Amino acid sequence: MHHGQDIDVLVSEVAPRDGLQSIKATMPTPLKLRWISALADAGLREIEVGSFVPAKLLPQMADCAELVAHARQISGLFVTALVPNLRGAQAAFEAGVQKITLPISVSEPHSLANIRKTHAQVFEEVQAVVALRNERFPGVEIEAGLSTVFGCTLQGVVTDDQSLAMAVKMAELGVDEVGLADTVGYANPAQVRRVFTRLRNELGALAGSAHFHNTRGQGLANVVAALEAGVTTFDASQGGIGGCPYAPGASGNIVTEDLVYLLESMGLRTGVDIDRLVAAREWLRQGLPGEALYGFIPDAGVGKNFTYAKEAV
């Protein structure tokens, strides 16, 4: 957790990875670099800059090592990347990331469909990644990002017990934190409060971030429920890009601009300047012309009586 004393909630920007990897077009690297700089300049402290996967699978992510090198030069920015396996983890470690996130499906059918691995194979892989980190790259953090926690299009219902058992298993294998993701947009606030409360009770300091989708319009309601359960780190995507929306016209990921407004208006400090954040969209428009961008705040502006959250006295 890299909150520092001057913020209450860490907003982790995932658009350069989760957004770009689900868009067919590839954003030119020079524009990505300027975009990442603009996001950091708006006050974002953590950015997931890409994923370390074979370029032939995801050409959009081929420049990930270059983006890491650039982002590491930005003072005060914590640089993370998604990695699907040991080979990706090694590439990420060598590129200089400060944290990797391993996507772990609670639903075994989803795991098989997504990465063609059984749970037993996934556990072996996580163990190997942790061993490599411990041996050669101490200090780099490893997060297990549990997906399909709140339901799965393939398995259907995913029980709280299944999710918690997977979280505990990840902790036993040596990861530093366990985050929970609503991969398919099934979560509701009552479920979110319940599951994150249990996660904190069972894992303590290892309980990590929340990653919600707005596929069915529940994204920010789920954020408030997670806040009530003690969550202090949230993933979001500029313009709501990515997140595999299944419904036409629906955004997938929750919109960073709207999340920052929600938190600040509730008196929670994010360290992010909304005007600068909205201005950073310009690089997205240039890099992905014609791509739909979402968000209420960029369209409506902040309310007349809006004030940023104040320093705690």
Side-chain angles (χ1 to χ4, degrees), residues 14-25 51 58 60-61 213 237 240-245 252-253 288 291:
V14 300
R17 194 281 302 173
D18 198 358
L20 298 187
Q21 82 168 29
S22 49
I23 292 169
K24 292 272 187 288
S51 59
L58 278 179
Q60 301 95 316
M61 297 287 117
H213 285 181
S237 175
I241 63 170
C244 309
N253 284 307
L288 297 168
E291 190 60 39

Side-chain angles (χ1 to χ4, degrees), residues 56-99:
K56 64 176 186 293
L57 286 181
L58 278 179
Q60 301 95 316
M61 297 287 117
D63 54 4
C64 196
E66 195 179 334
L67 302 184
V68 170
H70 169 80
R72 283 301 310 270
Q73 301 304 308
I74 300 173
S75 168
L77 182 64
F78 194 77
V79 183
T80 79
L82 188 85
V83 306
N85 52 32
L86 178 62
R87 204 168 57 185
Q90 178 151 1
F93 291 151
E94 286 167 354
V97 302
Q98 289 159 288
K99 181 171 93 175

Side-chain angles (χ1 to χ4, degrees), residues 110-152:
H110 184 266
S111 184
L112 287 164
N114 205 27
I115 57 171
R116 294 185 293 284
K117 281 191 169 72
T118 63
H119 279 163
Q121 291 171 309
V122 167
F123 299 156
E124 272 179 35
E125 197 86 8
V126 172
Q127 210 163 8
V129 170
V130 171
L132 174 68
R133 187 275 307 269
N134 292 349
E135 194 184 326
R136 292 189 39 214
F137 302 94
V140 181
E141 293 179 22
I142 299 173
E143 176 185 25
L146 303 197
S147 62
T148 66
V149 170
F150 301 95
C152 174

